[in-house]
Amino acid sequence: MTHDPSDTTPGLPAPPGLPTPPAPPDLPTLVDRLLHGPRPLPIVTAGDPVLRRTAIPYDGQLGDARLAELLAAMRETMHAAPGVGLAAPQVGVPLRIAVLEDPAAVDAEVAEARGRVPLPYRVLVNPSYEPAGPARAAFYEGCLSVPGWQAVVARYDRVRLRGQDETGRELDEEVAGWPARIVQHETDHLHGTLYLDHAEPRSLSSAQHLADRWSQPTPALAAEALGFRLPT
Ligand code: ZN
């Protein structure tokens, strides 16, 4: 049996050799440290508990100027990756904030099949979603925190998105197609959920195989060859 360094009893001193973990910094301090570090920001990968915790609702903890700086750094990091969405926990900040932007630079047939229309840059604060219809769409997607792999996820084709933007303006709108997929993926991050949690396990594909074999507009061929079901 291996020793689990997290196995300490609350209220008792840590066993010899295991330093007491420092108290986590307050959120403004944590963000200031991040903003004084390298750019693009380092992206947290799967296995870090910050990706598995429910993020803290944002209620102004950072102040407007620091929030604006964090958002600019997240946007730069998303562009550099490159990606079409980035949630604050992915840069180690446990707040319910995400940035989204998709130029939808794909060929016309792929764009049509996937409902991939350009999504101008936007910020979601404390977002939530619910289905706005029964239709589901299954496509390959990936995550900057799970580099090198993609898998098929069946998601609601249309969702009702609520929350706020970065100015505090209330959002209540319907989003469809690929933007709806991005909204669901990023909002899930803020609740400790990774796309793999509801992916088709047998669809898992390396980026290399995805590029070589499964770049068709839909994952129908992959479903047949790898043995997974698509929603009907
Ligand atoms: Zn992700």
Side-chain angles (χ1 to χ4, degrees):
M1 184 173 163
T2 56
H3 178 69
D4 178 357
S6 67
D7 182 18
T8 55
T9 308
L12 293 178
L18 288 178
T20 305
D26 62 80
L27 288 162
T29 303
L30 185 147
V31 170
D32 284 342
R33 281 184 196 164
L34 190 65
L35 293 173
H36 284 98
R39 304 288 179 92
L41 303 173
I43 296 180
V44 171
T45 52
D48 189 315
V50 72
L51 293 175
R52 289 312 197 170
R53 293 190 198 110
T54 299
I56 301 162
Y58 184 69
D59 64 3
Q61 295 97 322
L62 301 182
D64 289 349
R66 193 185 282 104
L67 174 64
E69 271 191 74
L70 173 63
L71 292 171
M74 287 175 62
R75 187 182 185 190
E76 176 193 344
T77 303
M78 170 177 68
H79 287 166
V84 296
L86 187 70
Q90 293 183 276
V91 292
V93 176
L95 285 169
R96 286 188 207 169
I97 297 170
V99 296
L100 285 55
E101 185 172 10
D102 183 11
V106 292
D107 78 51
E109 194 189 355
V110 167
E112 171 72 23
R114 300 180 190 175
R116 190 158 178 178
V117 293
L119 173 65
Y121 173 69
R122 67 180 303 178
V123 176
L124 302 183
V125 174
N126 304 323
S128 65
Y129 68 84
E130 59 190 81
R136 284 153 67 87
F139 292 106
Y140 270 102
E141 68 179 70
C143 177
L144 297 177
S145 293
V146 189
W149 298 90
Q150 293 208 17
V152 170
V153 186
R155 292 198 182 271
Y156 302 117
D157 185 51
R158 176 177 288 272
V159 294
R160 180 178 180 183
L161 164 66
R162 282 182 278 197
Q164 296 96 44
D165 70 8
E166 68 275 38
T167 69
R169 186 173 64 89
E170 291 294 327
L171 305 175
D172 186 350
E173 61 189 88
E174 282 196 12
V175 187
W178 205 262
R181 176 169 296 266
I182 300 171
V183 163
Q184 290 169 80
H185 181 118
E186 301 309 328
T187 303
D188 287 356
H189 267 303
L190 305 178
H191 294 86
T193 296
L194 295 177
Y195 84 100
L196 288 171
D197 299 349
H198 35 228
E200 296 291 337
R202 294 183 67 116
S203 71
L204 187 68
S205 177
S206 68
Q208 190 64 55
H209 283 304
L210 198 78
D212 292 347
R213 302 169 186 268
W214 311 129
S215 61
Q216 303 86 14
T218 79
L221 281 180
E224 198 180 318
L226 299 177
F228 62 91
R229 293 167 67 90
L230 293 173
T232 49

